[in-house]
Amino acid sequence: MRRIAILAGLSVLAGCVSGPDHVPPEMPLPAKFNEGSAKADGDVSTVAWWTAYRDTRLNGLVVEGLNENLSIQQSLERINAAAGNVTVAGAGALPSLVVGASHTTSGSLGSLADSRAATNTTGANANVGWLLDLFGQYRRSKESAQASLDAAYSTADVAKLTYLQDLVNSYINARYYQERIALSKANLKSRQETYELTKFQLDAGAASRLDVVQAEGLVQSTQAEIPGLETNFRVAAHHIATLLGKPAGSMVAELQRGGSQPVFRAGIVSGVPADLIRNRPDIRVAERNLAAATANIGIAISQLYPTISLSGSISPTYVRPVGANGGLTSWSFGPTLTLPIFDGGRLRANVDIAKSDAKTQYLAWKQAVLQAVEEVENALSAVRRDAQTVAALRAQVKTTQETLDLSTASYKDGASSLLDVLDAQRQVSLAQASLAAAVQQMATDYVALNVAIGGGYNPGGNNAPAKPVAAKASTAKAG
């Protein structure tokens, strides 16, 4: 009866788990973004938003990089390490068995020694140990390790999202610099024609040497622009190759084949702020870090209480001297109680540290949510206005080109000065460069919006999904 009572008491203690249970965090969020709709998006992780640019080369690069990018591969490998930590954390609460064996031969050497005195000793041992997890230390350890594994899955999704933003932006930049190079070469040709016309008029007495020098200077300034643009194009191409896990120079020739600047042809979708908690992998990482920190509080508290371990061993030994045989078996079994008495406050300080860390992780989660909302609001504001900027600059390019045509015709007729033509050429160049930059900005703002809502890191749904997270966001009407 006494043994039954002891076992019953241990079973009751074993049901006690120290520390608080993790509760998914909540925070109030607006019902919609300021310039968004009130319609939820659902799971946007599978949406291949970059296909809205309708650029088959870009589509191929994205798919290739998702399989080859080294940062993504590193993050996936960390999942394996985190999974191993779950096994390690849970193993402490399970019984352990260690066995061993040995064999020795002993004797003496010398003129007085009898060689027949050699002795063979064969032994074995088995040790069993079991630390009773009375206050849930190992259960909390496994919870913490499992939360860290979940965070590793979501960290891999963060790496994919970072890769998508980096690759698509680099591709947009490469095409932008190609557009600028093409514009500069076209302007160079036009300015060389003006320069030749001015020299002809100088010979005819209709222009001054100053006119020729000014026209020549504009040709030279245009020539000076092109090398820098070509360098920037190559830098973007090199970075794309690195993102694909290739040597830097391997993409230059392929991208030099040319292509127009990417322009997205799709609607603007943002979802609602509450979607971010489900769709943004960095928010999931923060929530899982909070879960791990909460479990660590239980680990620290459990170390304030006594621990009981059961251990036993058996060691059979067989001795065989010359002319005789003998054997001996020893064994032991019993519990061990460990109770912390004086530790200088170290264990309670560990509890305070764990609680502070959990509070820090909660604040980090809250900050991640608010920062995600800010990023979406900023991207929405930009994307909804980019088209207006592009349209205005297209009209400006058309106007400045018409001005240049009229100035050139008037100069040929002798009705205006060369300065009017050169100024018109400068205005055309500035307007064209501004238009190219605006198209580039519109494309990158679309990237920023889709990354901000957490879209596209699992295109087609073929990659390993992240562990589900139950974090919640309560909605409140926007002020």
Side-chain angles (χ1 to χ4, degrees), residues 391-407 424 427-428 431:
L393 287 172
R394 290 191 192 280
Q396 183 184 14
V397 169
K398 183 178 180 181
T399 299
T400 56
Q401 185 62 56
E402 183 177 359
T403 301
L404 174 60
D405 293 340
L406 293 174
S407 298
Q427 294 303 317
V428 169

Side-chain angles (χ1 to χ4, degrees), residues 29-35 273 377 475-479:
L29 290 175
K32 61 184 289 294
F33 295 107
N34 283 338
E35 299 187 57
E377 293 280 20
T475 57
K477 293 183 178 180

Side-chain angles (χ1 to χ4, degrees), residues 46 105 108 139 250 285 300 317 361 368 431:
T46 61
T105 301
S108 302
R139 273 169 286 179
S250 60
V285 170
T317 304
Q361 294 301 333

Side-chain angles (χ1 to χ4, degrees), residues 261 290 415:
Q261 283 189 269
L290 172 59

